Amino acid sequence: MNRFLKLVNFEFSRFFKLYLVLVGITVLCQMVGVIFEARRYVGRANKAIYEDLLSKSDFISQYGTMSFFRFSETLWFLGPIMLAGVTLLIYVFFIWYRDWFGKNTFSYRLLVLPTARLNIYLAKATTVLLFVLGLIALQLLLVPAEMQIIKWLVPDELRTDFSIATISNHYYLGVLFPMTIADFILIYGVGIVAVCVVFTGILFERSYRLKGIFLGILYAAVSILVFFAPILVNELILRNYFYANELFYMELGTCLLTLAGAIWIGNYLMNKKIRV
Amino acid sequence: MIEVKDVTKKFGRKTVLNGVNFTAEKGKITCLIGINGVGKTTIMKAIMALTPIDGGQILIDGEKIHKGSYEKITFIPDTITMLPQMKVHEAFMFMADFYDSWNQKRAEELLEFFRLKETDRISDLSKGNTAKVNLILGLALDVDYVLMDEPFSGIDIFSREQIADVFTSHLIEDRGVIITTHEINDIEHLIDKVVLLDNGVVLREFDTEEVRENEGKSVIDVMREVYRA
């Protein structure tokens, strides 16, 4: 196995236990949540229909039907996703700083491994990406399961069923499950670029310390500007001159440019400027 | 041979190394001596490319350090370079995974010599035993050069003796060693070459045997002469 893959495997194992906890919380919270919400809805329907003597159609017009969308707006569904998001966001910083700070001087070892230092950078980025994709995959498994549970617990006439395609059109669920390749590239491309820009920003700080914080922030600001340049030029200067697909390809170009810039600068800093 | 040529290094406005020159040959133990803050550790880190230098050049066998160099030079800093939560055998496995020059047999030999167990968790070890594990991680690599930063600092007398014994064993023979230490007494009889540093420059570089034979002086005598001048 080459050293890059060994590094990915190593980084992956270091966070794996905590990751499993995140997976556990997501599964538990969403499964318990969907059952709880479905039963609560049915309970409320029963009360309205049998005790308050409301007709089914009146109940539906008053409370709406039960659907996956309804569940997806509750904290049961969004809570674990937000928790995982925040944890991974912290992890993007933690994956570097844990090797430098405290009693841990593992950075000494990492930087003297007989492999290109860029591999350390890429391995850390790959690990973050794997964790994100892993959680998305988990969500892809959970959503149909949750829809099925709603089907089991809520009678047909009180329920609205949606296909995965409809769900993907929903604003934030569409981010989780992009339907087209273009959306996938755009959403996850932005994610990968963001992670690499933050990584390079961290390396500025690790190389120049206090001065590096300012350099890192400046670098990140320039990267964001470059990344959004086509949209900004189109909106602010050319007043929507480009077609959507033209804008997409330009965005793809600046996305690749920002990514290449982040990796190139990161590689330079790791080889020439980094300090332990 | 490790060649440190005209190396300069600043931390902010403070010049730590101001044109440092010396060489360390294979088969010899070279000791860097100087008071705290003189830049001994910085030199070690600079050789390993763990800190950038502002000027000068460092060559290992005539070439600048590159990824392949880490199969022939190793650094043993004064802190453990493995994850504290790892067990000793896991640390060995990590080294075997990444270094072609890892010598498992030698690692086990050293483990036995230091009376440590493979199942010990690094974070549970005493300071002395942690230093020993750190030493094993460096010495079990079949490399030509070993850099050791303060291997005796904060370690009990028996552990110090054990570590000093390593210097006279086959584990060090034929390798080029650069060591920094305050405890010169422990290893004075072992070192071949001394580099005295102060104010970011090399005050004197000498061969211990030569000085002993020609001038009848010990390392400590020369240190007194140089630093009190």
Side-chain angles (χ1 to χ4, degrees), chain A residues 3 6-7 10 14 104-106 108-109 111-117 272-276, chain B residues 45 48-52 67 70-71 75 77 79-81 83 86 94-95 97-100:
Chain A
R3 289 188 175 105
K6 281 178 188 170
L7 275 170
F10 178 71
R14 285 174 83 185
N104 198 349
T105 46
F106 193 64
Y108 279 89
R109 177 59 57 203
L111 294 174
V112 300
L113 290 176
T115 182
R117 286 183 179 174
K272 305 281 184 199
K273 298 291 174 192
I274 198 122
R275 280 154 59 177
V276 293
Chain B
K45 286 182 183 175
M48 296 301 287
L50 290 171
T51 195
K67 62 177 180 177
Y70 297 119
E71 292 281 14
F75 178 37
T79 44
I80 187 83
T81 57
L83 298 178
M86 271 185 179
F94 178 91
M95 296 298 281
D97 250 358
F98 285 95
Y99 291 91
D100 294 337

Side-chain angles (χ1 to χ4, degrees), chain A residues 164-179:
Chain A
I164 290 277
T166 321
I167 284 172
S168 296
N169 284 329
H170 200 256
Y171 61 106
Y172 61 85
L173 291 173
V175 175
L176 283 178
F177 317 120
M179 274 309 276

Side-chain angles (χ1 to χ4, degrees), chain B residues 16-17 33-40 42-43 197-201 227:
Chain B
V16 181
L17 306 176
I33 300 174
I35 55 162
N36 280 338
V38 84
K40 302 185 297 285
T42 306
I43 293 173
L197 292 154
D198 202 14
N199 291 324
V201 289
Y227 287 117

Side-chain angles (χ1 to χ4, degrees), chain A residues 186 229-235 240 242-254:
Chain A
L186 214 59
I231 293 176
L232 291 175
V233 168
N234 188 50
E235 301 262 326
N240 296 322
F242 295 115
Y243 288 115
N245 66 335
E246 286 175 335
L247 209 55
F248 170 76
Y249 286 115
M250 278 191 278
E251 264 308 315
L252 199 62
T254 53

Side-chain angles (χ1 to χ4, degrees), chain B residues 72-141:
Chain B
K72 63 177 183 182
I73 185 167
T74 191
F75 178 37
I76 307 170
D78 59 350
T79 44
I80 187 83
T81 57
M82 267 298 153
L83 298 178
Q85 64 267 32
M86 271 185 179
K87 290 186 176 173
V88 172
H89 72 90
E90 287 169 336
F92 286 2
M93 214 149 51
F94 178 91
M95 296 298 281
D97 250 358
F98 285 95
Y99 291 91
D100 294 337
S101 54
W102 178 252
N103 185 333
Q104 182 66 21
K105 208 172 140 241
R106 184 183 284 174
E108 282 162 12
E109 213 178 291
L110 275 159
L111 203 65
E112 210 181 303
F113 174 75
F114 285 133
R115 292 179 197 166
L116 295 167
K117 283 191 241 114
E118 271 199 341
T119 47
D120 288 339
R121 196 174 292 282
I122 291 171
S123 56
D124 294 340
L125 295 173
S126 67
K127 193 172 179 188
N129 284 343
T130 309
K132 289 173 194 169
V133 171
N134 214 18
L135 208 64
I136 297 174
L137 296 175
L139 293 178
L141 288 167

Side-chain angles (χ1 to χ4, degrees), chain A residues 97-165:
Chain A
Y97 284 111
R98 70 177 163 186
D99 292 332
W100 263 266
F101 283 158
K103 278 187 175 179
N104 198 349
T105 46
F106 193 64
S107 55
Y108 279 89
R109 177 59 57 203
L110 273 183
L111 294 174
V112 300
L113 290 176
T115 182
R117 286 183 179 174
L118 182 63
N119 280 341
I120 299 167
Y121 181 104
L122 295 177
K124 286 184 189 289
T126 308
T127 308
V128 173
L129 185 68
L130 284 176
F131 282 137
V132 172
L133 291 179
L135 285 174
I136 301 286
L138 173 72
Q139 209 56 68
L140 277 175
L141 292 174
L142 284 177
V143 168
E146 286 155 7
M147 287 162 91
Q148 192 57 49
I149 289 171
I150 292 171
K151 270 188 192 171
W152 283 334
L153 296 179
V154 183
D156 291 353
E157 60 271 28
L158 294 177
R159 201 179 68 223
T160 310
D161 295 329
F162 294 105
S163 66
I164 290 277

